[in-house]
Amino acid sequence: MPETAAWADKWSHLLLAAEWLTDLVFPPLCWCCDRVDVRSCQDCLRALQAAPLQMTARRADKLDREAATGPHEGKLRSAVHALKYTGYKELADPLAERLIHALRWLDWSFDIILPVPLHSERLRERGYNQSELLAERVAVALSMYCATDFVARVRKTEQQAQRSPAERKSNVEGAFEVVADVAGLRILLVDDVVTSGETLNECASVLRKHGAAAVFGIAVSRGGQS
Ligand SMILES: [Zn+2]
C-alpha cells in the first residue's frame, strides 16, 4: 500500500474510533421520544411523515397569500424545534416534504424561492439557517431557483413568541434589506414557523418596495409559541 494511502486508512480508522467514543459518552437521542442510540427512530419519523396537512392560508397585509402546513404542536413542533435549535438538520427532509405537498395543492404562481434570512451573528452561532435548508429542498422538488442572498437580515431581532402583537411588529421593523434586483419577480418566502406573521410580512414589505410583483409566504407550522 502506498504511504499516503496507508495514512488515509489509519486516519479513517482514527475518525471511526473517535465517533464510536463520542457515541459512547454522548449517545444519540431521538429528536422526539428521546430513545437512545438513534437520532431519528422509525416510529417518530413515520408519525411525522403521516401527520396530515392541516393547512391554514390567509391573506396578510404585504403578502398575496400566506400559509402553514399545520399547527405548531405535537410531533410537528418537536421536529421544527429539533431542526432549529438542536442540530437535527436531517429533519429538513420530512419537513420540506410537507411544504412541497402544500405548495402543489395551493398552486401559487411564483418564479423564485427565498428563505427568510438569519442575522449573520445567529447564523454563526447555529451554523446553518433552517429556513434555507427547507427552501433548498423545496426548490429542488419544484425545479426552481433558491436565492439565498437576495435579502439580508441587517438587524438582530429577538424571538417573537413571547411578545405582544405591537411589540412583534416593532421588533422586526427595519430588520431586512434587499440586496439584489427583485423588480417584477413573483417570490415565495419560506420560513420554519409563523407566529403573528410579522416577520414574513416585513420581509414581503421590503421586497415590494424594491418592485417585487408578488410575494407569498409559507411556513411548516403556525403557532403562538415557537
Ligand atoms: Zn423516537
Side-chain angles (χ1 to χ4, degrees):
M1 188 183 284
E3 202 174 331
T4 47
W7 268 110
D9 197 42
K10 274 183 192 155
W11 185 240
S12 71
H13 279 100
L14 271 173
L15 282 179
L16 277 176
E19 212 171 276
W20 179 79
L21 270 174
T22 310
D23 281 357
L24 199 67
V25 182
F26 305 105
L29 296 177
C30 173
W31 55 273
C32 190
C33 67
D34 285 347
R35 190 175 296 175
V36 179
D37 286 341
V38 61
R39 283 172 60 83
S40 189
C41 82
Q42 284 305 312
D43 291 345
C44 292
L45 190 60
R46 262 199 295 269
L48 177 64
Q49 286 166 332
L53 287 183
Q54 283 180 272
M55 297 284 295
T56 51
R58 63 184 182 186
R59 193 177 295 273
D61 200 7
K62 304 293 180 189
L63 290 151
D64 292 79
R65 299 297 290 173
E66 180 247 70
T69 75
H72 194 58
E73 58 191 36
K75 290 228 171 355
L76 199 51
R77 180 174 188 270
S78 301
V80 169
H81 257 240
L83 169 67
K84 188 170 183 170
Y85 298 117
T86 50
Y88 285 77
K89 289 199 271 184
E90 59 268 51
L91 290 172
D93 288 321
L95 294 177
E97 277 302 314
R98 294 181 66 83
L99 296 174
I100 295 158
H101 287 148
L103 286 164
R104 287 195 171 126
W105 184 77
L106 288 162
D107 204 23
W108 292 338
S109 161
F110 50 88
D111 27 52
I112 194 162
I113 300 177
L114 269 65
V116 171
L118 280 185
H119 188 268
S120 56
E121 216 172 287
R122 192 155 282 159
L123 185 61
R124 258 199 310 279
E125 289 162 10
R126 195 170 294 165
Y128 60 92
N129 174 0
Q130 69 285 352
S131 300
E132 193 174 311
L133 297 182
L134 296 166
E136 281 168 347
R137 285 156 176 78
V138 171
V140 168
L142 303 183
S143 303
M144 299 190 83
Y145 182 62
C146 176
T148 55
D149 54 358
F150 276 27
V151 180
R153 199 157 186 147
V154 290
R155 203 161 60 73
K156 200 175 168 196
T157 53
E158 300 306 319
Q159 293 294 325
Q160 292 285 67
Q162 272 81 37
R163 291 167 180 270
S164 70
E167 286 172 337
R168 286 173 178 179
K169 196 169 169 58
S170 65
N171 186 37
V172 292
E173 252 166 22
F176 300 105
E177 211 171 83
V178 175
V179 288
D181 182 9
V182 296
L185 288 179
R186 299 175 65 84
I187 296 168
L188 173 73
L189 287 170
V190 174
D191 210 353
D192 53 347
V193 190
V194 58
T195 46
S196 62
E198 288 302 341
T199 304
L200 281 172
N201 204 51
E202 178 65 17
C203 204
S205 170
V206 293
L207 285 165
R208 281 190 181 284
K209 279 184 194 147
H210 282 76
V215 188
F216 302 90
I218 194 158
V220 174
S221 58
R222 181 192 305 284
Q225 301 287 312
S226 70

